[in-house]
Amino acid sequence: MGNQDSATPTAATSMRLLRNQLTQPRPTNPEATRRATRVHGAPVVDLGLLDHLEETRTELIAATRRANPNAGPAPVDEGIYAWSDAATAHLQPGERQARDVVAHRQALEHALRVGDERVIRQERCPGCRCYSLMWRGTIERAVCIQARCRDEIGRASQWELKQVAHHHVTSRPQRAAN
């Protein structure tokens, strides 16, 4: 993740945007009809978003500590990706790819949480290698809209974020060679 085509800046930037979402006022329902008086106010932050940030942080820390138990304390902000890079710089290329897949998947998740579905459009389909992916939030998968990219029964190919991230990271050396 230390090279120019690294997933680290994207993951850190996406995490920063997600953290900014925590400080934005949450929308209220202006068309609300009569309802019971609240005893407590609404939470000031989106608790689902807070849980998501904590889960991704925990996942990255666990993966880093598996590779380097002496990694030191992890930062609490988006610097956690740079910390992970530095702590796992000694890994073999295949292990670094696995680390990069986690960071790239998390970057995609962060961007989707903010509502930026364009990040999926910028990825190649693992099946046909075209830039033809669309995000379907209802099934939480990227779907290829290319007519020739179908599964065994004729449905559009569907990809989980970890598959899209894995394809992105593992095809990086091939893209660099071209």
Side-chain angles (χ1 to χ4, degrees):
M1 285 201 295
N3 62 13
Q4 182 181 0
D5 191 26
S6 171
T8 301
T10 306
T13 303
S14 296
M15 181 178 264
R16 188 175 312 109
L17 290 172
L18 205 54
R19 284 183 181 277
N20 289 341
Q21 289 289 323
L22 285 173
T23 61
Q24 298 299 319
R26 295 179 58 194
T28 58
N29 186 359
E31 302 170 3
T33 57
R34 291 182 55 194
R35 58 182 172 194
T37 305
R38 289 186 170 187
V39 176
H40 302 286
V44 292
V45 297
D46 182 350
L47 298 178
L49 193 57
L50 198 59
D51 288 344
H52 170 75
L53 283 171
E54 185 59 30
E55 288 170 9
T56 57
R57 185 175 185 281
T58 302
E59 177 187 19
L60 191 61
I61 290 171
T64 303
R65 295 223 186 273
R66 275 193 303 274
N68 182 1
N70 302 321
V76 295
D77 60 0
E78 59 272 1
I80 192 168
Y81 291 100
W83 168 80
S84 179
D85 275 352
T88 57
H90 67 283
L91 296 177
Q92 297 298 318
E95 295 169 319
R96 282 196 306 262
Q97 275 189 342
R99 174 199 65 194
D100 290 351
V101 167
V102 170
H104 191 68
R105 178 185 49 78
Q106 287 184 352
L108 293 174
E109 288 174 351
H110 297 333
L112 289 169
R113 283 282 194 155
V114 173
D116 184 9
E117 295 181 0
R118 293 174 300 162
V119 294
I120 299 299
R121 294 292 309 218
Q122 297 167 359
E123 297 289 337
R124 288 181 182 259
C125 172
C128 66
R129 297 180 39 96
C130 294
Y131 291 100
S132 54
L133 293 178
M134 299 286 288
W135 180 248
R136 299 286 184 238
T138 54
I139 58 173
E140 294 188 356
R141 292 178 187 258
V143 177
C144 182
I145 59 171
Q146 186 64 258
R148 69 174 192 262
C149 190
R150 304 286 175 184
D151 65 9
E152 311 81 46
I153 58 175
R155 293 181 302 185
S157 297
Q158 299 176 8
W159 307 97
E160 294 179 358
L161 287 179
K162 65 182 177 184
Q163 293 170 308
V164 173
H166 182 267
H167 181 260
H168 177 88
V169 170
T170 57
S171 65
R172 189 181 295 158
Q174 183 180 6
R175 287 192 315 266
N178 290 339

